Amino acid sequence: MPVMTASSPRTDLQPGDRAPDFTLSASGGRTVSSAELKGKPYLLYFYPKADTPGCTTQACGLQDVLPKFEVAGLTIIGVSPDPVAKIEKFATKYGLQFPLASDEDHAVAEAYGTWVEKSMYGRTYMGMERSSFLVDGQGIIRNVWRKVKSATHAALVAEAFRDLSSGA
């Protein structure tokens, strides 16, 4: 069951802000939490729905660069509103080795400002905005990407993490 320890929903997180705390159930029988990541940089990326074309492109792009990130010490965590069983199936189907976390009650997404009003075919609904947050080892957000393009996401993260790692 997700546990949200952030105080109130945020929609305005910017580089330099403290990242909201989280604890979520994830693929591979894992639990991911900001507390366990203390002292380590991580990428928290939010995606709308497992096993859809855009989300698959995004996840597989990150999986392709995962070895370089792991060597450099970056942890990648994907977050969606899907239940654990669905994200587990998605992770297995595509061989995704990084944790995919379930935020069914969207508490973490609300804390990060990624649970937003969307519209499609004239219908308005609440859903996950494809967004990412690069967080340093002190829990400070260093980069924010809103409305990320699936195909270019991994390259943007790689460049930003390279800059963060080199102290730029």
Side-chain angles (χ1 to χ4, degrees):
M1 187 69 158
V3 175
M4 189 63 230
T5 55
S7 52
S8 61
R10 297 281 307 261
T11 57
D12 61 344
L13 288 174
Q14 300 293 322
D17 290 343
R18 176 152 299 283
D21 293 331
F22 63 90
T23 299
L24 294 168
S25 298
S27 58
R30 297 173 276 201
T31 297
V32 293
S33 74
S34 52
E36 290 176 357
L37 293 165
K38 191 172 183 172
K40 302 173 189 169
Y42 60 93
L43 174 74
L44 198 63
Y45 85 91
F46 294 85
Y47 64 99
K49 191 172 182 178
D51 210 6
T52 57
C55 296
T56 300
T57 297
Q58 183 178 23
C60 290
L62 289 167
Q63 180 63 43
D64 288 346
V65 296
L66 183 64
K68 291 178 184 174
F69 286 154
E70 287 178 332
V71 166
L74 180 68
T75 299
I76 297 173
I77 302 166
V79 180
S80 83
D82 295 313
V84 172
K86 185 168 183 175
I87 61 174
E88 189 70 56
K89 186 176 177 183
F90 177 49
T92 300
K93 181 176 180 179
Y94 293 99
L96 303 174
Q97 297 171 3
F98 55 87
L100 297 176
S102 174
D103 186 23
E104 284 188 85
D105 66 0
H106 49 80
V108 176
E110 287 183 26
Y112 279 82
T114 63
W115 189 252
V116 299
E117 186 175 279
K118 300 172 102 177
S119 68
M120 183 182 292
Y121 306 118
R123 185 178 75 99
T124 301
Y125 61 97
M126 295 301 289
M128 189 75 79
E129 177 185 74
R130 190 180 309 278
S131 299
S132 293
F133 300 83
L134 181 61
V135 180
D136 70 16
Q138 287 70 48
I140 303 300
I141 297 171
R142 294 300 170 193
N143 289 80
V144 176
W145 296 275
R146 299 277 184 186
K147 299 181 181 177
V148 178
K149 301 284 186 228
S150 300
T152 59
H153 184 233
L156 291 172
V157 172
E159 181 179 346
F161 184 61
R162 189 171 36 254
D163 291 347
L164 178 65
S165 297
S166 68

